[in-house]
Amino acid sequence: MNAVIHQKSEKLPISSEAINRRISRVVIIASENRKILIGGNAPIVVQSMTNTDTVDAIGTAIQIKELARAGSELVRITVNTPEAAAAVPIIKEQLIRMDVDVPLVGDFHYNGHTLLKEFPDCAQILSKYRINPGNVGQGAKRDSQFAQMIEIAARYDKPVRIGVNWGSLDQNLLASMMDENAQRSTPWSAQSVMYEALIVSALQNAHRAEQLGLPGDKIILSCKVSGVQDLIAVYRELAKRCDYPLHLGLTEAGMGSKGIVASTAALSVLLQEGIGDTIRISLTPEPRGDRCKEVIVGQEILQTMGLRKFTPMVIACPGCGRTTSTLFQELADDIQTFLREQMPIWKTKFAGVEAMNVAVMGCIVNGPGESKHANIGISLPGTGESPAAPVFVDGIKTVTLRGDNIAKEFQQIVLSYVQSHYG
């Protein structure tokens, strides 16, 4: 039998390459004392949306605070009725009292032109408007109502996201494009026509907004669909045709693991190709679930891809027959929760702490090695191993923990590390 001979490769060593971002215009979203840059080389922004009744000003303000505390850099609220528009100044007042300064985005459909005109306080307080061209109006009213919203945005110097959605696509535009397609010698598929209609709707409305007086650096575009491959195809083409910043997200990602997996699959491909300036993970909440989960998923997509850093990462093994104890699972969960809860305080006091890595491992197989790669790591005893947990700090074993207080002692080691290395 011939031996396999390994020869030295003359190729360069394998290395990871930085993602080349698509360069777009830069849009500034401003609140009282904060400015968020979207586009250009600015960090990719994570945003979210409330699911409270906006008329409930107190409940909405509380949820906005929770989303902002979780790390949402923009929060969108529904503005669908006169009562909701009237509640926006009250919501803002409550946020100021709670010392929450996060830009608010107003989500308008069908009657946005009326609400923005009749409630100028709402129009001025919102930091950005989201307009869906398919839900602006029908027939002759459509153009005038779109124009009214854009003119108000220009008057108050507000950025606008022109957000096309395949569930509410302009049916007149789609019908016209379907008729044109039927005349082609080789017609496109219905799916391709749909893709093109989404892109054309976004670009035509963006250009019209500029003609109406809204500067190009006040416009963000999105073409949202709910299928992974559909989203990738549409945004690849949209990115080729414009230099507006692009907002990414599946329009209805779904619930639980399905929504997380679908969003991660779609957005990761586009982000890896440098497409996307702001993201939202549109998860269906579990009954009585935490709305902030969509923020955490968005952050984790960006952080695990190396695009941004939000909170220290916990590396933990999946467990196997060597780790029949649940100790390492509980410790990993406790530490991860502890780190995320501390971040609102830590990010104002400990610069760079979000880049820290913590390893919580379950046995001797990979435990010591993985722990040495992290800033701080602990290798807990697996089945049949000595009941000892060595702790490694920056690759060096510093202490071995034993007994019933390992979790509290390790948490204190992490806290001391943060204070000494990032203070």
Side-chain angles (χ1 to χ4, degrees), residues 24-38:
S24 70
R25 310 182 197 195
V26 177
V27 175
I28 299 174
I29 315 291
S31 56
E32 280 66 34
N33 301 301
R34 191 177 183 191
K35 289 184 178 179
I36 304 291
L37 302 183
I38 294 178

Side-chain angles (χ1 to χ4, degrees), residues 3 25 38 49 58 103 105 127 137 148 155 171 193 243 269 290 296-297 317 322 330 338 344 381 387 390 397 405:
R25 310 182 197 195
I38 294 178
M49 185 174 183
I58 302 297
V105 181
S127 297
Q148 290 177 55
R155 183 189 314 157
Q171 292 303 300
V193 177
D243 64 352
V269 171
D290 186 357
I296 294 170
V297 172
C317 67
R322 293 176 178 269
E330 294 165 353
F338 170 72
K397 181 180 174 181
N405 294 317

